[in-house]
mmCIF file of all heavy atoms in Angstrom:
data_model
loop_
_atom_site.group_PDB
_atom_site.id
_atom_site.type_symbol
_atom_site.label_atom_id
_atom_site.label_comp_id
_atom_site.label_asym_id
_atom_site.label_seq_id
_atom_site.Cartn_x
_atom_site.Cartn_y
_atom_site.Cartn_z
ATOM 1 N N VAL A 232 -3.538 -21.857 -18.154
ATOM 2 C CA VAL A 232 -2.130 -22.065 -18.555
ATOM 3 C C VAL A 232 -1.353 -20.893 -18.019
ATOM 4 O O VAL A 232 -1.629 -19.752 -18.346
ATOM 5 C CB VAL A 232 -1.954 -22.173 -20.055
ATOM 6 C CG1 VAL A 232 -0.520 -22.295 -20.417
ATOM 7 C CG2 VAL A 232 -2.760 -23.323 -20.609
ATOM 8 N N LEU A 233 -0.358 -21.163 -17.154
ATOM 9 C CA LEU A 233 0.506 -20.093 -16.661
ATOM 10 C C LEU A 233 1.899 -20.359 -17.189
ATOM 11 O O LEU A 233 2.452 -21.445 -16.964
ATOM 12 C CB LEU A 233 0.510 -20.102 -15.126
ATOM 13 C CG LEU A 233 -0.795 -19.786 -14.429
ATOM 14 C CD1 LEU A 233 -0.655 -20.016 -12.940
ATOM 15 C CD2 LEU A 233 -1.234 -18.372 -14.681
ATOM 16 N N ASN A 234 2.452 -19.382 -17.881
ATOM 17 C CA ASN A 234 3.721 -19.603 -18.514
ATOM 18 C C ASN A 234 4.806 -18.727 -17.866
ATOM 19 O O ASN A 234 4.576 -17.532 -17.616
ATOM 20 C CB ASN A 234 3.717 -19.232 -19.978
ATOM 21 C CG ASN A 234 3.088 -20.317 -20.797
ATOM 22 O OD1 ASN A 234 2.994 -21.462 -20.338
ATOM 23 N ND2 ASN A 234 2.641 -20.000 -22.005
ATOM 24 N N ASN A 235 5.959 -19.292 -17.621
ATOM 25 C CA ASN A 235 7.158 -18.522 -17.243
ATOM 26 C C ASN A 235 7.053 -17.765 -15.955
ATOM 27 O O ASN A 235 7.672 -16.707 -15.791
ATOM 28 C CB ASN A 235 7.529 -17.500 -18.320
ATOM 29 C CG ASN A 235 7.916 -18.151 -19.613
ATOM 30 O OD1 ASN A 235 8.243 -19.313 -19.592
ATOM 31 N ND2 ASN A 235 7.896 -17.370 -20.665
ATOM 32 N N PHE A 236 6.314 -18.265 -14.988
ATOM 33 C CA PHE A 236 6.356 -17.605 -13.671
ATOM 34 C C PHE A 236 7.447 -18.349 -12.874
ATOM 35 O O PHE A 236 7.171 -19.344 -12.231
ATOM 36 C CB PHE A 236 5.005 -17.677 -12.983
ATOM 37 C CG PHE A 236 3.972 -16.815 -13.630
ATOM 38 C CD1 PHE A 236 3.178 -17.284 -14.633
ATOM 39 C CD2 PHE A 236 3.799 -15.521 -13.201
ATOM 40 C CE1 PHE A 236 2.245 -16.475 -15.230
ATOM 41 C CE2 PHE A 236 2.863 -14.702 -13.790
ATOM 42 C CZ PHE A 236 2.071 -15.182 -14.819
ATOM 43 N N THR A 237 8.676 -17.869 -12.958
ATOM 44 C CA THR A 237 9.797 -18.666 -12.494
ATOM 45 C C THR A 237 10.278 -18.303 -11.097
ATOM 46 O O THR A 237 10.610 -19.180 -10.315
ATOM 47 C CB THR A 237 10.969 -18.556 -13.445
ATOM 48 O OG1 THR A 237 11.207 -17.224 -13.688
ATOM 49 C CG2 THR A 237 10.675 -19.308 -14.713
ATOM 50 N N THR A 238 10.351 -17.027 -10.785
ATOM 51 C CA THR A 238 10.967 -16.672 -9.496
ATOM 52 C C THR A 238 9.973 -16.872 -8.367
ATOM 53 O O THR A 238 8.804 -17.218 -8.575
ATOM 54 C CB THR A 238 11.401 -15.211 -9.496
ATOM 55 O OG1 THR A 238 10.235 -14.392 -9.646
ATOM 56 C CG2 THR A 238 12.373 -14.923 -10.593
ATOM 57 N N ARG A 239 10.448 -16.608 -7.175
ATOM 58 C CA ARG A 239 9.594 -16.714 -6.005
ATOM 59 C C ARG A 239 8.407 -15.790 -6.115
ATOM 60 O O ARG A 239 7.266 -16.125 -5.847
ATOM 61 C CB ARG A 239 10.373 -16.309 -4.758
ATOM 62 C CG ARG A 239 11.281 -17.383 -4.245
ATOM 63 C CD ARG A 239 10.417 -18.357 -3.548
ATOM 64 N NE ARG A 239 11.183 -19.538 -3.212
ATOM 65 C CZ ARG A 239 10.981 -20.199 -2.088
ATOM 66 N NH1 ARG A 239 10.062 -19.835 -1.231
ATOM 67 N NH2 ARG A 239 11.694 -21.274 -1.827
ATOM 68 N N LEU A 240 8.689 -14.563 -6.568
ATOM 69 C CA LEU A 240 7.632 -13.583 -6.707
ATOM 70 C C LEU A 240 6.651 -14.012 -7.789
ATOM 71 O O LEU A 240 5.407 -13.970 -7.606
ATOM 72 C CB LEU A 240 8.203 -12.227 -7.036
ATOM 73 C CG LEU A 240 7.229 -11.094 -7.276
ATOM 74 C CD1 LEU A 240 6.572 -10.736 -5.990
ATOM 75 C CD2 LEU A 240 7.951 -9.904 -7.864
ATOM 76 N N GLY A 241 7.191 -14.493 -8.902
ATOM 77 C CA GLY A 241 6.355 -14.962 -9.997
ATOM 78 C C GLY A 241 5.510 -16.142 -9.571
ATOM 79 O O GLY A 241 4.325 -16.233 -9.918
ATOM 80 N N HIS A 242 6.122 -17.022 -8.815
ATOM 81 C CA HIS A 242 5.417 -18.197 -8.343
ATOM 82 C C HIS A 242 4.232 -17.814 -7.464
ATOM 83 O O HIS A 242 3.138 -18.337 -7.605
ATOM 84 C CB HIS A 242 6.445 -19.003 -7.516
ATOM 85 C CG HIS A 242 5.973 -20.354 -7.172
ATOM 86 N ND1 HIS A 242 6.040 -21.401 -8.069
ATOM 87 C CD2 HIS A 242 5.445 -20.841 -6.043
ATOM 88 C CE1 HIS A 242 5.579 -22.462 -7.464
ATOM 89 N NE2 HIS A 242 5.192 -22.164 -6.257
ATOM 90 N N ARG A 243 4.477 -16.852 -6.616
ATOM 91 C CA ARG A 243 3.411 -16.388 -5.695
ATOM 92 C C ARG A 243 2.280 -15.736 -6.489
ATOM 93 O O ARG A 243 1.111 -15.946 -6.228
ATOM 94 C CB ARG A 243 4.050 -15.396 -4.708
ATOM 95 C CG ARG A 243 3.175 -15.136 -3.528
ATOM 96 C CD ARG A 243 4.002 -14.529 -2.405
ATOM 97 N NE ARG A 243 3.142 -13.848 -1.457
ATOM 98 C CZ ARG A 243 2.354 -14.447 -0.611
ATOM 99 N NH1 ARG A 243 2.342 -15.759 -0.551
ATOM 100 N NH2 ARG A 243 1.604 -13.747 0.201
ATOM 101 N N LEU A 244 2.674 -14.957 -7.461
ATOM 102 C CA LEU A 244 1.698 -14.299 -8.287
ATOM 103 C C LEU A 244 0.898 -15.343 -9.088
ATOM 104 O O LEU A 244 -0.329 -15.193 -9.221
ATOM 105 C CB LEU A 244 2.432 -13.360 -9.259
ATOM 106 C CG LEU A 244 1.715 -12.140 -9.705
ATOM 107 C CD1 LEU A 244 1.385 -11.323 -8.513
ATOM 108 C CD2 LEU A 244 2.557 -11.386 -10.672
ATOM 109 N N GLY A 245 1.596 -16.343 -9.563
ATOM 110 C CA GLY A 245 0.917 -17.406 -10.304
ATOM 111 C C GLY A 245 -0.104 -18.100 -9.434
ATOM 112 O O GLY A 245 -1.231 -18.409 -9.889
#
Side-chain angles (χ1 to χ4, degrees):
Chain A
V232 177
L233 297 172
N234 280 343
N235 295 342
F236 289 89
T237 50
T238 63
R239 280 284 172 144
L240 178 69
H242 192 80
R243 196 161 159 74
L244 210 60

